[in-house]
Amino acid sequence: MSIILRLDRVMADRKISLNELSDRVGVSNVNLSKLKTGKVSAIRFSTLNAICKALNCQPGDILEFTDDEE
């Protein structure tokens, strides 16, 4: 996969737990856990917006592109 999720890193930088983020964003712990571990193939813009608002970050802080061909 060319897109890497860095939610775990941003959460650690902000010192926020999965439960606290779940409460702030309104997304279940299970779904946030999947995002945190990168075990998803898609994310809704509304979810990304809510996460960025809760963590006071930009989408680029959470999403990273890597070229698979390197």
Side-chain angles (χ1 to χ4, degrees), residues 13-70:
D13 290 346
R14 305 293 194 279
K15 295 179 176 69
I16 187 170
S17 70
L18 195 63
N19 289 334
E20 186 178 348
L21 185 60
S22 175
D23 289 341
R24 289 186 188 183
V25 175
V27 175
S28 72
N29 283 354
V30 172
N31 287 338
L32 279 179
S33 179
K34 288 179 183 178
L35 283 171
K36 187 177 171 186
T37 59
K39 296 183 179 179
V40 294
S41 59
I43 182 171
R44 291 177 186 239
F45 281 128
S46 59
T47 302
L48 183 60
N49 183 65
I51 290 170
C52 288
K53 186 174 181 179
L55 295 176
N56 191 29
C57 67
Q58 295 294 315
D61 297 332
I62 297 172
L63 304 171
E64 181 179 321
F65 172 78
T66 59
D67 194 352
D68 287 340
E69 295 181 16
E70 290 180 359

